[in-house]
Amino acid sequence: MSETHDLLFRTLADPTRRALFERLCREGEKSVGALTARAGVSQPVVSKHLGILREAGLVRDRHEGRHTYYSAQLGALVPLVDWTSEMAGFWQRRFDDLEDLLKRMDQ
Amino acid sequence: MSETHDLLFRTLADPTRRALFERLCREGEKSVGALTARAGVSQPVVSKHLGILREAGLVRDRHEGRHTYYSAQLGALVPLVDWTSEMAGFWQRRFDDLEDLLKRMDQ
DNA sequence: GGGATCAATACCCCGTTGGCTATTAATCGA
DNA sequence: TCGATTAATAGCCAACGGGGTATTGATCCC
């Protein structure tokens, strides 16, 4: 239901885009040109992906002359971590309920 | 790069499919009919999504007579948790490096 | 000022995908 | 046995999305 989760999952679903984000996480701030060099796709495509990552809050951009530098915004992953925790929580609770039931049946 | 991450993110990117998985996490095992009742899409579509979730390892199915019961396989989320941890790790390491640099500069 | 470089935008193409209806397969119950 | 129910499959279509090239805008350097 959450729009945030939707945007995050959709944004990270594309391998090219995710690879760009991973590189920014690993190597820190990079210019579009530097990212394009090893992205395997054209510069306009890289720019487009970076735009989508930015709209999802996963990266931020900084302009310096002709160059635009992008860097990862790790905080944007928090909703994703929360979501997985929530799913795990539901699962755990049901597991506990089952355990309780079995204990009661055991008596 | 990892095919597993790709499959997971892609599978969870669709809101209808993710909603099905969330329901299975929250409410436990459910039949296709029960899931279809509140999915907002037709039964064939639900079956299709469940098939995709199964191929991603996110659910398992159990046949009982005419009914097929699906349940969430939480273990499948592990690679996703690992991935986020890895990204956070990269970020943290670069942060530490920066901190070290600043300390050295401070001396 | 003028050519060169860097990034974003515009536009198009085509493969993928998510939705539908119709049908089939299998099982249950009267 | 035969109709009813449950889920999966087949086939179709429209929309979305990721790729490309061409172009524009902006900035740097000679």
Side-chain angles (χ1 to χ4, degrees):
Chain A
M1 280 300 215
S2 168
E3 200 57 44
T4 305
H5 296 153
D6 211 63
L7 188 58
L8 272 182
F9 277 115
R10 237 190 351 210
T11 302
L12 293 171
D14 181 73
T16 305
R17 200 153 52 220
R18 196 172 58 254
L20 285 170
F21 178 70
E22 288 184 18
R23 275 196 68 195
L24 290 175
C25 284
R26 288 175 194 267
E27 306 171 17
E29 194 181 62
K30 286 255 176 293
S31 72
V32 175
L35 289 169
T36 301
R38 285 178 180 134
V41 291
S42 66
Q43 173 267 312
V45 170
V46 171
S47 283
K48 198 172 180 182
H49 281 306
L50 289 171
I52 294 171
L53 284 167
R54 187 184 47 210
E55 282 179 15
L58 286 162
V59 301
R60 70 184 297 273
D61 60 343
R62 180 177 68 82
H63 297 277
E64 186 177 321
R66 288 179 296 181
H67 298 268
T68 309
Y69 293 96
Y70 284 87
S71 52
Q73 290 290 100
L74 214 71
L77 289 180
V78 169
L80 200 147
V81 175
D82 289 347
W83 182 85
T84 53
S85 301
E86 200 183 353
M87 293 307 115
F90 292 141
W91 186 85
Q92 184 63 42
R93 189 192 313 166
R94 288 193 297 101
F95 184 78
D96 291 345
D97 291 349
L98 178 63
E99 206 170 37
D100 290 348
L101 179 64
L102 292 176
K103 275 182 186 160
R104 267 180 273 124
M105 286 174 64
D106 203 30
Q107 290 173 355
Chain B
M1 280 302 215
S2 167
E3 200 57 43
T4 305
H5 296 151
D6 211 64
L7 188 56
L8 271 184
F9 276 115
R10 231 174 348 133
T11 302
L12 292 172
D14 181 74
T16 304
R17 199 153 52 220
R18 196 172 59 255
L20 285 170
F21 178 69
E22 288 185 18
R23 274 195 68 195
L24 290 175
C25 284
R26 288 175 194 268
E27 306 172 17
E29 195 180 62
K30 286 254 176 294
S31 72
V32 176
L35 289 170
T36 301
R38 285 177 181 134
V41 290
S42 66
Q43 173 268 314
V45 170
V46 171
S47 283
K48 198 173 182 182
H49 281 308
L50 289 170
I52 294 171
L53 285 167
R54 186 183 48 209
E55 281 178 17
L58 286 162
V59 302
R60 70 184 297 272
D61 60 343
R62 180 176 68 80
H63 297 277
E64 187 178 321
R66 288 180 294 183
H67 297 267
T68 308
Y69 293 96
Y70 284 87
S71 52
Q73 290 290 99
L74 214 71
L77 289 179
V78 168
L80 200 146
V81 175
D82 289 347
W83 182 84
T84 55
S85 300
E86 201 182 354
M87 292 308 115
F90 291 141
W91 186 85
Q92 184 64 40
R93 188 192 311 167
R94 287 191 301 101
F95 185 78
D96 290 346
D97 290 351
L98 177 63
E99 208 169 38
D100 290 348
L101 179 63
L102 291 176
K103 275 181 187 163
R104 268 179 272 124
M105 287 174 65
D106 203 30
Q107 291 173 353

